[in-house]
Amino acid sequence: MKSAPIKYHRATSVEEAVQLLSEYEPGEARVLAGGQNLVAMLNMRLWRLTALIDVNAIPGLSVIEPRGNDIVFGALTRHAMVEHSELVAKRLPLLSTMIRHVADRQVRNRGTLGGSLVHGDPSAEMPLGCLVLNARLHVHGPNGSREIAMEDFYDGPYAAAIEPDEMLTRIEIPPAPRHHAFMEVVRRHGDFCVLSVAVVGDQKDDGTWQNVRIGLGGLSETPVLAHALMEIAEGTTLSDEVIARTAAAVGSVIDPASDFRASAEYRAHLAPVYVERALKALRTSAPAVH
């Protein structure tokens, strides 16, 4: 199938894009970045829009750069740029690991970080990675710019908490914990995941772990930052007993659904298994403390 007839605008500034968005009724216009999800949904007529606002000609939105202690990504930063960035590999290794699980080479060459975050697929890697890394998102609208914490960015599945006349412009990620682990279950490499687990943390000289953050993908309507699990693991040595208790508590923070990839029951069964594996991988990623 092909998309229904649609108007096309090519904005050359953020202000022009916002103005164009504001000329349409809510839900009638969308920003076109990489289009890897949006165009497919239009072609299948799962979405029907009046207009697309192409933002690829806007300068300054395709960057990865340090800003103080933070790393700043423009919303048009391609996945391939993230994948090959030495700065990301050094300062945000979790993101560098996760990006290689995003779809395939063709999608990573064209898809954008901002597009993935706004699309808000609950099984996608980049929303989960940015959640675990405590990202801050900056959106621009008719009333200027505002900042949204990644943890507050979704109202539900595929529902970013931005207004119809706002667009995402940049993502800021603060310094990350030193150690990380990521695991996901997929039917085949590059497919949407059945579930995923991303964890980060810092190991102190006495062997205890601080700044533990545990994120779960594909197990609820949005990516989940599992505060209840983090509280169990924080300040411990991540012993086998602590890891087992943390994994056993996963049922309290997820609400899996059934789809053609897996049943809700299967996801619920796998979740504690992969939380345990991810935490053991995190523990192994740090040097042994004697």
Side-chain angles (χ1 to χ4, degrees), residues 83-94:
E83 181 178 3
H84 298 296
S85 168
E86 294 182 4
L87 181 63
V88 174
K90 180 179 179 180
R91 301 265 295 267
L92 302 172
L94 173 66

Side-chain angles (χ1 to χ4, degrees), residues 17-38:
V18 169
Q19 176 59 38
L20 287 166
L21 287 169
S22 67
E23 292 175 2
Y24 292 92
E25 293 297 319
E28 287 189 350
R30 297 276 298 204
V31 166
L32 173 65
Q36 301 303 290
N37 293 305
L38 176 59

